[in-house]
Amino acid sequence: MKALILTAGNGTRIRAISHCRSKCMLPVQGRPLLAWHLDHCVDSGQVDAIHIVVHRQQTGAREMLERFVEDYPNSIYLNDVHFALGTILEKEGAYQRAYEHLLTVNPHELPYARIGEYYYRTGHAAYQNGDEDKAYSYFQNCTTDPAYAPHATYYKAYIDYTRGDLDAAKSGFASIAELPAYEPIIPF
């Protein structure tokens, strides 16, 4: 069975006590509320996967996830938490820290629908850190997800271009040239 824990609220009704942290991180008997929920799921013996829904734009989401990593270093949910942290950091432009978190993720333990996103975000973080070879290999694994494959194709083609492999670059650029997001920036 799968468990879903919703933590995306802003805590406006309890603002007096939640102004500096997310509701799920408020202490209850000395532990974050989220820890109680996680323990209940694990202790039930019936839950084989827990999904924690965090609004990535929520104030304190990154801090909440970082605190979870720090407080629960042996949690079976670290893979998902590192992926969420890497995603947030990559979107914020903190590419080095994003890459560090994303490198700890086992993509085969992610939901199938998130694997393309993992390969794209990890490739993008690697690229932004100057590791074109690693970036290229991650982008090569991002081929079927319609939300991320065109972006991965663009970066692969750009890397091919900078390496002087103009035929591969042209082929890559041509494959996305008619997409509205890329039509104005394809270099031919």
Side-chain angles (χ1 to χ4, degrees):
M1 174 178 10
K2 294 181 181 178
L4 180 67
I5 300 174
L6 305 175
T7 66
N10 289 319
T12 54
R13 290 181 297 231
I14 58 170
R15 179 65 61 211
I17 61 172
S18 70
H19 68 280
C20 63
R21 64 173 70 177
S22 300
K23 280 188 300 192
C24 64
M25 295 307 288
L26 289 173
V28 175
Q29 295 182 350
R31 299 177 63 216
L33 180 60
L34 179 60
W36 291 101
H37 290 296
L38 292 171
D39 287 349
H40 179 71
C41 291
V42 171
D43 292 345
S44 75
Q46 298 177 13
V47 177
D48 57 5
I50 297 177
H51 299 277
I52 302 171
V53 179
V54 177
H55 187 274
R56 291 186 182 149
Q57 300 303 317
Q58 175 182 336
T59 303
R62 180 176 39 81
E63 293 82 5
M64 179 184 72
L65 293 169
E66 287 171 339
R67 197 172 309 131
F68 183 89
V69 170
E70 188 176 300
D71 291 347
Y72 303 98
N74 299 314
S75 172
I76 60 173
Y77 308 107
L78 280 181
N79 197 61
D80 294 327
V81 172
H82 280 295
F83 178 62
L85 258 173
T87 299
I88 290 169
L89 291 164
E90 189 264 343
K91 285 182 175 184
E92 291 176 351
Y95 299 113
Q96 180 62 42
R97 291 185 56 218
Y99 195 40
E100 290 166 6
H101 282 283
L102 291 167
L103 287 176
T104 68
V105 173
N106 178 349
H108 303 293
E109 292 179 7
L110 293 173
Y112 181 76
R114 304 301 298 273
I115 293 174
E117 179 182 4
Y118 165 78
Y119 284 121
Y120 170 75
R121 292 200 185 284
T122 308
H124 187 244
Y127 179 81
Q128 293 297 334
N129 281 296
D131 193 345
E132 287 187 355
D133 293 333
K134 286 281 189 185
Y136 198 90
S137 68
Y138 283 109
F139 291 141
Q140 280 185 308
N141 286 312
C142 183
T143 57
T144 59
D145 187 325
Y148 296 98
H151 307 308
T153 299
Y154 174 82
Y155 277 102
K156 282 190 331 187
Y158 185 79
I159 292 168
D160 287 332
Y161 176 78
T162 62
R163 291 177 175 171
D165 188 349
L166 301 182
D167 290 335
K170 186 174 182 178
S171 175
F173 286 135
S175 73
I176 59 171
E178 293 185 18
L179 297 176
Y182 290 101
E183 189 175 31
I185 61 173
I186 298 298
F188 58 85

